[in-house]
Amino acid sequence: MRGFVRAALNAVRPPDVVPSPNIWHWPDVYEVENRAQDVNGAIWAAIDERCSFDGLDVVDVGCGDGFHLPIFARTAKSVVGVEPHPPLVVRARHRVDGLPNARVVAGPAQRLPLDDASADLVHARTAYFFGPGCEPGLHEAERVLRPGGAIAIVDLDGAAEPYGPWLRADEPRYDPAAVEKFFEDNGFSLTRVTAQWRFESREELESVLRIEFSAKVAERAIASVSGLSFPVGYRLHVRRKPRGLIV
C-alpha cells in the first residue's frame, strides 16, 4: 500500500495527519476494498480471542468512512469512530446514522477528543500506528483506556506473501522487522493473521490494486493473481493497560 508505506516512513516525524493517497481520493473504490478484505473473518476472530469487546466501550482510531463501526456496534456497548479527514467524517456519520450506540468525532490520533478512562478497547486498523513515531498516539490511547483495557493495532505484515513483497517493492526502505521490534519493545504481543481478500469481479480487484500500489507494482500484482482472491498477511499487536500500580 502506498499510503501504508509512506505513512510508516513519515511516522518518525509525523505531522498532525499523514494524507492517505487511497481512501481520501477514491473512497468508493476503498469501499470495494473493505468489502473484499477478510471475507472469512480471520482478523475479527483474532481480535475476539485476544481482546473481546462484547458489552464494552470501543474507540476506532482512524476509522475512515466508518466501515468497521457497525460491526463493532453489533455487540459492543458503544463505539466511537475518530477520523481526522472531514469528508470521511461526514461519510462515517452517514454510515452509523440510526445506530444508537455508535457515533463519530473529528480529530487526530495524537489528540483524541475523548475523556480520560472512557474506553475498554482502542482499535486501529492500518491507520496511523505504523511503528516508530506513533508514540503520541500510543500515549493518547493509554489515556482514554480504563485499567485493564486493551490497545489493538492491526497492520499489514510486510514479510508475508504475496502482499508483503508488493508493498516492499513500492518502498524498499520499509522494514517489517523494525516495526515488529518497535511494538515488542513497547510491550505489545504479536499475533499473525492470514486473511482472504475476495472480489466480485476482476474489474474490482484491479481497481483496488491500482489505488494501493504504483502503476508498475500494481500491474505486477494483477498479473500474479489468476482468480478473484488472494491471501493477505496481517499482524495484530495487543497491549493491555495495567489494572494497578506497576512496582
Side-chain angles (χ1 to χ4, degrees):
M1 284 186 176
R2 284 175 290 169
F4 181 89
V5 174
R6 188 174 305 151
L9 292 166
N10 288 343
V12 176
R13 303 176 72 89
D16 273 359
V17 180
V18 176
S20 170
N22 41 43
I23 191 172
W24 281 30
H25 301 291
W26 294 281
D28 293 333
V29 178
Y30 204 83
E31 177 77 10
V32 171
E33 179 174 338
N34 271 327
R35 291 199 307 266
Q37 289 186 33
D38 195 22
V39 291
N40 295 325
I43 298 172
W44 290 109
I47 292 173
D48 185 60
E49 181 179 346
R50 298 300 316 286
C51 44
S52 176
F53 53 84
D54 289 1
L56 302 180
D57 295 312
V58 176
V59 175
D60 187 15
V61 179
C63 71
D65 65 0
F67 183 84
H68 298 114
L69 300 182
I71 301 174
F72 282 116
R74 290 174 194 164
T75 58
K77 179 182 178 182
S78 71
V79 57
V80 180
V82 182
E83 170 57 43
H85 189 48
L88 293 180
V89 172
V90 172
R91 289 174 70 103
R93 286 174 175 164
H94 282 309
R95 193 185 295 273
V96 301
D97 187 37
L99 295 178
N101 63 335
R103 64 188 179 97
V104 178
V105 296
Q110 306 95 313
R111 294 187 303 280
L112 297 175
L114 303 170
D115 293 337
D116 295 354
S118 58
D120 302 295
L121 174 66
V122 174
H123 165 274
R125 191 170 304 197
T126 59
Y128 178 80
F129 295 95
F130 301 118
C134 74
E135 292 89 346
L138 292 179
H139 289 312
E140 275 291 270
E142 198 80 3
R143 177 184 66 78
V144 303
L145 279 176
R146 299 181 179 114
I151 309 172
I153 296 168
V154 180
D155 68 357
L156 288 158
D157 187 346
E161 297 276 355
Y163 205 98
W166 300 339
L167 186 156
R168 298 196 315 273
D170 258 345
E171 187 42 78
R173 293 175 296 165
Y174 177 64
D175 185 351
V179 174
E180 289 184 17
K181 185 177 187 304
F182 169 83
F183 283 112
E184 180 182 0
D185 290 347
N186 279 276
F188 286 81
S189 64
L190 170 63
T191 301
R192 297 188 190 277
V193 181
T194 300
Q196 196 71 18
W197 285 26
R198 184 178 303 133
F199 297 86
E200 295 296 322
S201 68
R202 286 291 297 185
E203 181 182 10
E204 287 189 350
L205 182 151
E206 293 178 11
S207 67
V208 166
L209 292 178
R210 287 189 174 113
I211 71 166
E212 290 298 354
F213 300 107
S214 64
K216 181 179 179 179
V217 173
E219 294 310 312
R220 169 183 144 194
I222 289 166
S224 71
V225 178
S226 59
L228 299 178
S229 67
F230 53 87
V232 176
Y234 289 85
R235 299 173 296 203
L236 170 62
H237 310 277
V238 176
R239 184 177 77 187
R240 288 201 172 268
K241 184 173 182 175
R243 293 184 180 275
L245 293 175
I246 299 176
V247 179

